[in-house]
Amino acid sequence: MLDKITVKVINRSHHPLPDYSTFEAAGMDVRAYLPEGPVTLRPGQRGLIPTGLYIQLPQGYECQIRPRSGLALKHGISIVNSPGTVDADYRGEIGVILINHGQEDFVVNDGERICQMVITKYSHVKWENVKELDHTKREDGAFGHTGTD
């Protein structure tokens, strides 16, 4: 059984709200809102792409903005600060910072699916200062992999 939460949303675009492509999908497709026309990203260029979406998340939740695998594979398009985080107290328009890692210009059109949105719970940390940490088999070795081979 999947948890469901209610998120307040204002959609100033003329596109459908983000939605799940399949029942068990974690991410919802988000579309570009470009009423003034397409945006071209040259190789190596990044740009802030508006969505027309404004949300109010419940306390204890965040919205993660993640790249779309199809755009990454076919065109080298990704998100600079991946995953981007929208905090529960942010009320501005959601913008997506796309970057073109490809070798050709990429045109972002109005209504194009540009990213995935995942809503998830988070916890706040209460730090506990200690003199030593519990021991493990790995300890401090093998930075970058498990070190168990």
Side-chain angles (χ1 to χ4, degrees), residues 27-40:
M28 298 174 273
D29 289 332
V30 176
R31 298 176 184 276
Y33 177 51
L34 299 169
E36 296 178 17
V39 170
T40 300

Side-chain angles (χ1 to χ4, degrees), residues 84-115:
T85 295
V86 180
D87 294 309
D89 59 352
Y90 178 70
R91 297 293 185 268
E93 180 179 13
I94 295 175
V96 180
I97 307 169
L98 292 183
I99 186 164
N100 183 353
H101 290 299
Q103 298 175 352
E104 299 176 6
D105 288 357
F106 181 77
V107 178
V108 182
N109 292 297
D110 183 49
E112 184 164 357
R113 295 177 298 153
I114 57 170
C115 68

